[in-house]
Amino acid sequence: MSSTSSLGDYDISIGQAPVNLATAGSTGKRISMALIRSVDVLILKGAGAADVNEQQTINLGSATAGTITITFDGQTTGSVAHNAAAATVQTALEGLSNIAPGDVTVSGGPLPGTITLTFGGQYQGVNVPQVTVTPTGLTGGTVTVNTTVQGSKEDPVITLKSHTASTGGVSTNLPVITEYYVKSEATLDGDEIWTRVTQPAAATITDPGGAGASAESQQLIVFTVRADQLPDADNYLSVDIADVGSTAQLCSVVYLLHRQDRGDPTSFPAPLR
């Protein structure tokens, strides 16, 4: 890839034009590391939508007597009356070892009418197992359980890869990202500061900045790759961005190629900070 401009020790190359991740994840263009000491990967990401929390419903038809138990991911509640209020069902679920207060909200009802289980907390944006309902002595009714909204994460996944050739060849995930820097705000307006985030060595950055809210924010993300971190047979580098949900986040990637190791973005020339 040819350099588009130069600033001090940096050659600035567009690694990936802005892409709309609603259609598909983006496969980044490859850059040659042959004459480069290291590269700072600068990712500019627009705001998307929040994670989608799973919703499930339970209906007991026209039941006039009996009880039920509810099983979630291997854990089962005590008996719940056929005409229990939503709050009673929520309390029963929160008594399970794998559901803490805030992990599920129960609304609607009372039973035997439809109640809705909305998952959050540790299950925010997670495609959780569907609950099962076991009736005992249920009279005049039928159990119906449905998943009406499937949980999904909307936070982007960034993957670093090395390649043996500029096109084709052998591609390998490059697990060398141990830290990155991020600026994050609902709307980036210039008053943000860089936050350093560390992680075990990996080829991916998932949910940049953490907290399960990166999709909702505009972000700048930077990490550094040294040429000597590539496998001996590989001379090319690329960054892929995938959206594991369904909502678009406009992203682009800029490669800052330089001859000196400068991993801290606070050392960037002023126009790039």
Side-chain angles (χ1 to χ4, degrees):
M1 179 178 296
S2 61
S3 175
T4 57
S5 62
S6 181
L7 181 60
D9 289 324
Y10 294 90
D11 294 320
I12 303 172
S13 296
I14 302 300
Q16 176 175 282
V19 291
N20 187 321
L21 298 181
T23 54
S26 176
T27 300
K29 295 182 179 179
R30 302 180 187 185
I31 60 167
S32 173
M33 297 287 284
L35 302 177
I36 301 301
R37 176 75 175 274
S38 62
V39 57
D40 288 318
V41 179
L42 174 64
I43 299 169
L44 301 88
K45 187 189 76 63
D51 295 335
V52 176
N53 287 334
E54 179 138 340
Q55 293 188 346
Q56 301 179 14
T57 60
I58 299 173
N59 182 282
L60 304 184
S62 301
T64 57
T67 62
I68 60 170
T69 58
I70 303 171
T71 300
F72 173 71
D73 200 17
Q75 300 297 311
T76 302
T77 68
S79 294
V80 175
H82 74 283
N83 58 353
T88 301
V89 177
Q90 181 168 321
T91 298
L93 288 169
E94 289 176 349
L96 301 180
S97 62
N98 53 1
I99 294 182
D103 287 346
V104 65
T105 301
V106 183
S107 59
L111 293 171
T114 300
I115 58 172
T116 300
L117 283 56
T118 302
F119 291 85
Q122 65 176 311
Y123 301 114
Q124 177 178 314
V126 177
N127 180 14
V128 299
Q130 183 169 284
V131 300
T132 57
V133 175
T134 302
T136 299
L138 199 64
T139 302
T142 302
V143 173
T144 303
V145 179
N146 287 308
T147 296
T148 55
V149 178
Q150 182 172 296
S152 64
K153 289 284 189 184
E154 301 295 332
D155 301 313
V157 177
I158 298 162
T159 303
L160 176 67
K161 294 186 175 183
S162 63
H163 313 272
T164 58
S166 58
T167 58
V170 177
S171 299
T172 307
N173 285 356
L174 189 60
V176 299
I177 305 174
T178 58
E179 67 175 16
Y180 62 92
Y181 291 80
V182 61
K183 286 185 176 182
S184 183
E185 204 165 81
T187 301
L188 294 175
D189 54 12
D191 63 353
E192 305 81 15
I193 60 172
W194 290 106
T195 298
R196 177 174 175 262
V197 180
T198 60
Q199 63 178 35
T204 58
I205 297 174
T206 302
D207 184 20
S214 64
E216 298 91 311
S217 302
Q218 295 180 2
Q219 292 183 320
L220 295 177
I221 304 156
V222 176
F223 60 92
T224 298
V225 184
R226 301 191 315 274
D228 61 14
Q229 291 177 305
L230 273 68
D232 291 341
D234 294 3
N235 201 34
Y236 294 86
L237 193 72
S238 73
V239 175
D240 296 350
I241 302 175
D243 182 6
V244 296
S246 58
T247 303
Q249 295 144 56
L250 194 67
C251 288
S252 62
V253 175
V254 178
Y255 297 116
L256 307 177
L257 314 177
H258 51 83
R259 296 177 294 278
Q260 299 178 13
D261 293 327
R262 287 179 170 176
D264 182 345
T266 60
S267 68
F268 285 177
L272 299 179
R273 291 193 206 128

